[in-house]
Amino acid sequence: MIGFGLRLAVAGGREALTRLVIIAAAVAVGAGLLLATLAGVNAVNTQLTRYASLHPTASTGGTADPLWWSTRDDYFHGEQIIRIDVAATGPSAPTPIGLLKTPGPGEYYASPSLQKLLAANPADQLANRYPGRNLGTIGRAALASPDTLLVIVGGTPDTVAKLPQARQISSVGDNTPALPETMVNLILGVIAGGLLFPVLIFIGTATRLSAARREQRFAAMRLVGATPKQISLIAAVEAAAAAVAGTALGFVLFFAFRGQLAAIPFTGMRFFTNDMSLGVLDILVVALGVPAGAALAARVSLRRVRISPLGVTRRVTPRPPRAYRLIPLVLGVAVLAFALVYRPPTSDGQTAIFLPGLLLIMAGLILAGPWLTMIGARVMARRSSRAATLISARRLADNPKAGFRAISGIMLALFVTSVAVGVITTIVANRGPAPIGSTGAGTMSTVFAENPPSVPDTVLTDLRAIPGVRSATVVRENPVRGKDRDGWVVACTDLPAAYGRCADGATVAEVPMDLMPFEQPASSTRVWPAASVTVGDLQRLPVASIVVGTDASVAALERSRTVLEVAYPTEFWVAPNVPGDFESDFANTLRGWQQLANVIIVASLALAGCSLAVTVVGGLSERKRPFSLLRLSGAPVRILRRVVLLESAVPMLAVAVVAIGMGFLAAQLFLKAQMDYTLTAPGVGFYAIVIIGLVACLGIIASTLPLLERITGPETARSE
């Protein structure tokens, strides 16, 4: 029977061969995307592991001499530079990953991207921060991305031990802190919901191509004596043959485009090509799972033939879906709503609530789709007055599962899109970079790990001598603290006019550390309250910050940063920064999620469009005889075109509203429970993407309509 099934698949005439090629091509696209998704998850895990290795935990066990290690942040042109200071305490101290040897005092290694910046920019803007000999390039094993800006600087044990966050480690690579599981799980959930579901729907849709025609052929075999087991085996072999060919082609497509996929900054950073790898389990899941799934889909699609060979020829109307299909959807919403009352204290507990809730809603939308389609079709039938509308409504009401199958991918794509865009838009609105004025954008401030007692005059002189620097102000600790009082003070004579003025009669003012209120720009009209500190006492207070006012030019800012870092090589937790630098990590994360959301939107809508095209074409092919008889009875072709268009367009637009509404509801519940935010409505761009996507889907439907006239001629009715 296996040989007979293969013969039917490849030697069943032009129609069978065309069906085999189409199914194989569709499965190839789906399998390729499935492989890309699995490889992307592996790349994200590898990237996070390498990033975490830059912040190892302290470990002093073993016989090796410990290595002093301190990780700090630096900035250049708004990009984060990771600086690691190391110092070996003996000859057996471990060597950092990616280096030939541990750099000594006055030596450093830099990543390839940082090496390019060092060569392309003046030394007083960047290279002077790392004085000494450049030993070469850091190897890829230590880099999270080809774009990583990383420098590893050598020092003496006494010097590195005084740096912020300094620790001793006795080995490298095996003391990496645990990965941020919440982030990984969220990435897995987004990818699974946004890409895996549409991929599986697409593969299932493709394997069901011309299912009705095959049912008739298999029913005829049953009438001549074939057993249900034999029919099932033949159908499974036929579907698996196309799926095996498509899966093999999917592997070819994945490896052919792996380099281009790795270059897409899904997480805000590019991947190394080799990081887009597949494990043995991934390969087996796709290589065996896709053909097995195709065979199972073929077996399920023939359940009417297995019951009776006359079940197909008589075309009994399927039993309508019931309202119980709404249960998973309601449960998913209830799970997210439960998080409003009880929020687990750990990230694992939060993931255990939010991720299953979102997956339940996605599964619920797919399960409830046929019922919603049936309800919408019945409403349309009661209100219809035209022949095309009535025919399409009756057909949808009689078989809502088939009608929804064509648009299930679109529903899921719009839901995932709505959730992703709603969450990201709200986070950006609440935690995005602060609004900064022209003066504030050129303000550089410092945060000392241990406040020094004073600032050498040479530092202030060097800063003020930089072209573009307008002021250099020393801000000190306020000994009098309290509610609604700033914790820092400055002499009124030292306060630059661009940042406001003192209250009348005051000699010392209470100010923020960077001379600007939180999330507000600098203002020359702002009046600062008087402090209880006298000018005489001011000089005895510890220094909290050095605020440098510039013309916001890149050269002035970077030269000022370099002067401060050279003057205080061990004093900063975070390098001197301007508003926006400190938020760059979060901004990069948001850009990564936005990029991931954009990829999901495009890929999901593309897959949904492909599924729609396959379903519409398959539906036309399966309904050649009914449409031909309608034409023979006098129905114009334009009426049949309207029927086909309405059967797909009406439920598509209806489920679009439901999917977007459920997406915004899920986003609101997640944001309220997790961050206590209220959903911020997305901008015009989101609705433009949705409209363009729906119009493209309508265009796909319209492109199949010319086929209708060619396959519904009188000869079709006679041949059938």
Side-chain angles (χ1 to χ4, degrees), residues 140-202:
R140 193 181 67 181
L143 304 178
S145 165
D147 301 325
T148 298
L149 299 177
L150 173 65
V151 60
I152 301 180
V153 182
T156 64
D158 291 339
T159 301
V160 178
K162 297 177 182 178
L163 294 176
Q165 304 184 61
R167 71 211 70 176
Q168 285 185 317
I169 59 175
S170 58
S171 61
V172 294
D174 58 354
N175 58 341
T176 297
L179 291 175
E181 295 183 4
T182 301
M183 180 181 291
V184 174
N185 290 336
L186 186 57
I187 291 174
L188 290 171
V190 171
I191 291 177
L195 285 179
L196 292 184
F197 279 18
V199 165
L200 296 177
I201 290 172
F202 182 39

Side-chain angles (χ1 to χ4, degrees), residues 416-434:
V416 174
T417 299
S418 302
V419 174
V421 173
V423 170
I424 291 174
T425 301
T426 303
I427 293 177
V428 170
N430 286 272
R431 295 179 58 187

Side-chain angles (χ1 to χ4, degrees), residues 236-299:
V237 168
E238 186 177 3
V244 167
T247 303
L249 183 57
F251 276 92
V252 173
L253 291 175
F254 166 72
F255 286 105
F257 293 98
R258 185 171 63 155
Q260 290 84 342
L261 290 171
I264 300 175
F266 292 105
T267 61
M269 298 183 292
R270 292 183 298 155
F271 298 123
F272 289 105
T273 300
N274 290 341
D275 290 343
M276 293 281 293
S277 61
L278 296 171
V280 175
L281 182 60
D282 300 328
I283 294 174
L284 291 177
V285 165
V286 177
L288 302 179
V290 171
L296 180 62
R299 183 182 180 88

Side-chain angles (χ1 to χ4, degrees), residues 36 86-87 141 193 213 307 422 453 460 528 532 577 590 612 635 647 655 692 699:
V86 295
R213 297 280 294 172
I307 295 173
L460 299 177
W528 300 109
S532 59
N577 57 87
L590 287 179
L612 181 63
E647 282 182 358
V655 301
I692 292 173

